[in-house]
Amino acid sequence: MALKDNSSQNRWSSRWLFVLAAAGSAVGLGNIWKFPYIAGENGGGAFVLIYLVCIALVGIPIMISEVLMGREGRSSPIHTMRILAKKAGRSQRWALLGWLGVMTGFLILSYYAVIAGWAINYFWLTANGTFDGAGGDFVAQAFTDLQADPMRMVAYQTAFMVVTIWIVGRGVTAGLERAIQWFMPALFILLVVLLIYSFNSGGFAQGWAFMFDLKWDAVGPEAWLIAMGQAFFTLSLGMGTMMAYGAYVPEDARLSTTVVTIALLDTVVAIAAGLAIFPIVFANGLEVSQGPGLTFVTLPLAFGQMPFGAFFGAVFFILISFAAITSAISLTEPALAYLTEEYNAKRQRVAISLGVVCWVLGLGTVFSFNIWSDVFVVGELNFFGFVDYLSQNIMLPLGGMLITIFAAWLLPRDMINRQLGISSPAVSWAWRIVAGILAPLGVLAIFIYTVWPLIQNLFNL
Ligand code: PHE
């Protein structure tokens, strides 16, 4: 069918709503449990500095590239790539980049819904006082029990998918904007409540030191790569989400300052999450354990020991659930926008079909924790391990690198200057160097770092 420009239909009501929506996409599971942990493990303050450099030199240029491409194409990432390739006189194969994004979104959402389902389950468990006064074994067992119970996991995964699909099916204004207007302020308030609590927990100084003391000797070369990978995932880059959201950005919004605001909000939330979590962990004399363990074992244990723990625990898990929902809705947008345009179909119907496919794919992740835990897809990766590795370590960096190369080198320069409001040739060159050389090289480094060991393993090098 002919390429369609959706310009008259979907548009964020204001620049500020775009900022909230994009921040909603960016702030997710990646900020609330992953960032604090990796920051602490990689030298705290030194790592935070490195992370900020990565956000500034890699994250922000790629996000600007994605949003500007979206606003120029005004369509789903697949159609946007076709439109832009045509305008730039390049091969239509660039549309494959849009497809890559759609697939990545599918894969990430399939497991994102399962993990978010855990958070919803833990909201009920903590609110009901399940962990009040409980010991370490009990809390660890509760998490093991959840993972061993596919029915319970599927129930919560389904609940999460139903809410997500219901929201996205209602469209940009009635669905996305309304949900974001409720969830984002709620998320900030909940985070502040937790921060105040953690400030008074008795472990704040220790938590602060853990996050910010500049321990350069703890920063190895791989810290740069970990920070860069995190900058990528946390800013929702490399899969067309920001391109899809960019398609709805009003013409008069200044892209550079808008994107910087989004990146700042995302970073503030990640750091605030660390400052909310670690003092509670230290105040209770607990260990800073890894990833899922920190959120689903250590924290419930801490909440079980403290006054009003059931209340604050519930606040924490509802916070993660909200953050996950606003990210999940953005994960569906590239595919949803494409299918709606391509088949001129009703958004709601497309949303439901997409949701069902993603839900079925998610069953693979659910079973990876129990009945399929030893079924390996590649090497020692089971289904979840494989989908997670493929999407985050391969597909996102690849997508991001190609997007920024396309934007910096292949798009007509006057188009970029117009989109970014650049008038001086020096700024235009500076933009090319940052977005066209520094950012893709940074991504290339992560890419080699994550893919090389896999190749070595596969071929016994
Ligand atoms: N940024 C989200 C997080 O930190 C995850 C995400 C990745 C969302 C890619 C959309 C696209 O959890």
Side-chain angles (χ1 to χ4, degrees):
M1 67 160 249
L3 297 179
K4 214 171 88 177
D5 179 1
N6 262 1
S7 40
S8 56
Q9 299 170 11
N10 289 325
R11 204 55 60 89
W12 301 113
S13 307
S14 67
R15 180 185 92 103
W16 184 236
L17 268 161
F18 167 64
V19 170
L20 268 192
S25 166
V27 173
L29 297 173
N31 303 58
I32 299 178
W33 61 260
K34 200 171 168 206
F35 174 76
Y37 166 71
I38 56 174
E41 280 297 288
N42 288 283
F47 179 85
V48 173
L49 265 184
I50 294 178
Y51 169 81
L52 291 178
V53 171
C54 292
I55 293 271
L57 291 185
V58 178
I60 291 178
I62 294 183
M63 200 194 284
I64 292 178
S65 306
E66 277 203 36
V67 177
L68 89 80
M69 284 163 73
R71 186 164 75 169
E72 183 71 34
R74 288 268 182 238
S75 300
S76 72
I78 295 174
H79 282 147
T80 286
M81 286 312 301
R82 275 191 208 150
I83 293 167
L84 296 184
K86 200 164 168 206
K87 282 190 185 175
R90 307 289 167 176
S91 158
Q92 284 293 304
R93 289 214 189 96
W94 278 99
L96 287 174
L97 190 50
W99 279 107
L100 180 72
V102 167
M103 303 306 232
T104 316
F106 251 106
L107 292 180
I108 296 181
L109 182 58
S110 77
Y111 64 79
Y112 212 80
V114 177
I115 313 280
W118 294 354
I120 302 176
N121 187 198
Y122 267 68
F123 163 69
W124 287 121
L125 293 176
T126 37
N128 286 328
T130 313
F131 303 114
D132 288 355
D137 290 347
F138 178 85
V139 183
Q141 191 57 43
F143 189 45
T144 311
D145 288 348
L146 167 63
Q147 290 175 312
D149 186 350
M151 290 309 286
R152 178 146 56 114
M153 277 167 78
V154 169
Y156 284 100
Q157 172 218 13
T158 311
F160 183 82
M161 282 304 290
V162 167
V163 175
T164 304
I165 294 307
W166 181 74
I167 293 172
V168 297
R170 292 169 60 90
V172 172
T173 315
L176 271 57
E177 285 195 347
R178 194 164 303 166
I180 287 154
Q181 272 169 307
W182 277 98
F183 284 147
M184 291 308 284
L187 192 143
F188 287 116
I189 292 168
L190 294 177
L191 198 54
V192 170
V193 169
L194 268 184
L195 269 175
I196 294 172
Y197 183 82
S198 126
F199 191 74
N200 294 310
S201 67
F204 197 77
Q206 229 178 324
W208 180 276
F210 186 63
M211 284 276 296
F212 295 121
D213 269 3
L214 288 175
K215 292 181 288 259
W216 284 107
D217 45 340
V219 180
E222 76 278 4
W224 280 92
L225 296 155
I226 295 173
M228 205 135 45
Q230 173 66 7
F232 232 93
F233 184 75
T234 191
L235 292 178
S236 307
L237 301 176
M239 55 151 281
T241 285
M242 291 298 166
M243 213 188 280
Y245 273 19
Y248 314 138
V249 174
E251 213 62 65
D252 54 358
R254 257 189 88 109
L255 287 191
S256 48
T257 45
T258 306
V259 165
V260 171
T261 313
I262 297 162
L264 266 178
L265 280 173
D266 183 74
T267 309
V268 166
V269 172
I271 290 176
L275 287 180
I277 290 171
F278 287 122
I280 299 176
V281 174
F282 287 121
N284 288 278
L286 299 170
E287 279 304 308
V288 185
S289 63
Q290 199 174 353
L294 181 65
T295 304
F296 297 103
V297 180
T298 313
L299 277 182
L301 185 62
F303 288 127
Q305 305 298 322
M306 43 198 222
F308 308 109
F311 173 74
F312 287 105
V315 165
F316 176 76
F317 284 108
I318 204 83
L319 171 85
I320 301 197
S321 310
F322 283 0
I325 283 204
T326 51
S327 296
I329 58 183
S330 75
L331 281 162
T332 65
E333 197 55 35
L336 193 59
Y338 172 71
L339 293 171
T340 319
E341 284 164 8
E342 183 72 23
Y343 300 105
N344 213 357
K346 262 211 153 88
R347 211 177 137 99
Q348 221 155 14
R349 214 171 283 171
V350 177
I352 294 171
S353 326
L354 264 172
V356 170
V357 176
C358 224
W359 178 83
V360 172
L361 204 60
L363 293 180
T365 290
V366 169
F367 298 146
S368 297
F369 289 94
N370 36 73
I371 52 179
W372 287 354
S373 61
D374 294 332
V375 179
F376 300 120
V377 180
V378 175
E380 285 185 1
L381 296 175
N382 63 19
F383 185 86
F384 168 63
F386 174 69
V387 170
D388 179 38
Y389 190 94
L390 183 69
S391 55
Q392 274 189 52
N393 295 345
I394 299 180
M395 293 163 91
L396 288 184
L398 188 65
M401 195 168 62
L402 293 173
I403 284 171
T404 184
I405 289 174
F406 183 88
W409 297 110
L410 304 182
L411 282 181
R413 211 180 275 207
D414 56 333
M415 183 194 283
I416 297 175
N417 291 348
R418 172 168 45 78
Q419 279 289 352
L420 297 183
I422 296 176
S423 47
S424 103
V427 178
S428 177
W429 266 109
W431 166 251
R432 268 204 171 187
I433 289 169
V434 174
I437 299 174
L438 278 180
L441 275 185
V443 181
L444 192 68
I446 323 174
F447 198 49
I448 292 172
Y449 172 69
T450 48
V451 176
W452 182 239
L454 187 80
I455 296 174
Q456 272 178 318
N457 263 339
L458 280 180
F459 299 100
N460 286 325
L461 291 177

